[in-house]
Amino acid sequence: MKVTELVAQFAQPIVESHGCSLWDVEYVREGSERFLRLYIEKEGGVDITDCEAISRAVDPVLDEKDPIAESYHFEVCSAGLERALKRPGDFERFMDSPITVKLYRPRNGLKEIPGILRGYDDGKVTMEAGKETLTFEKSEVALVRLRVEF
């Protein structure tokens, strides 16, 4: 089992006991440092108090279960308004929402294309961009995230 899946398994009930839900777990290297991040959300938005309370509750469990051998920084963050969509359920939940699709290679000279999410099927993303409907294969898409319009 991957570190992120293991951490999600024991962190989720703790996060939910604080009135939030676990959006994602990320374990990444940034420069020479490693970071374990929990991304949380709740109705009405997450604030610093939520992040702090969940961090204090999860930290001793991380020490006890010790899922990561090397040293790392632990952070609890809001999933954010422009969060990445990763799982099929994320796409279902935000169907017909404004998104930005980031591509590995440009299409029509663009690597980032804004539009409205219209479909998702096994990694294939369909969006409405202006009057055009575009479909991207899983292999073309680097990232899909929500887009806030003002």
Side-chain angles (χ1 to χ4, degrees), residues 99-138:
I99 59 167
T100 298
V101 174
K102 289 187 179 189
L103 303 172
Y104 289 113
R105 291 187 185 80
R107 185 187 277 194
N108 300 329
L110 299 173
K111 278 187 89 170
E112 285 192 25
I113 302 172
I116 305 296
L117 178 61
R118 295 297 187 211
Y120 180 81
D121 182 27
D122 195 31
K124 191 185 302 188
V125 178
T126 301
M127 71 185 295
E128 190 178 301
K131 295 176 195 245
E132 205 174 359
T133 298
L134 303 173
T135 299
F136 304 96
E137 295 298 324
K138 186 177 186 174

Side-chain angles (χ1 to χ4, degrees), residues 30-41:
E30 293 177 5
S32 62
E33 307 279 336
R34 293 182 182 275
F35 291 86
L36 175 66
R37 292 188 181 106
L38 299 186
Y39 291 95
I40 61 172
E41 67 175 352

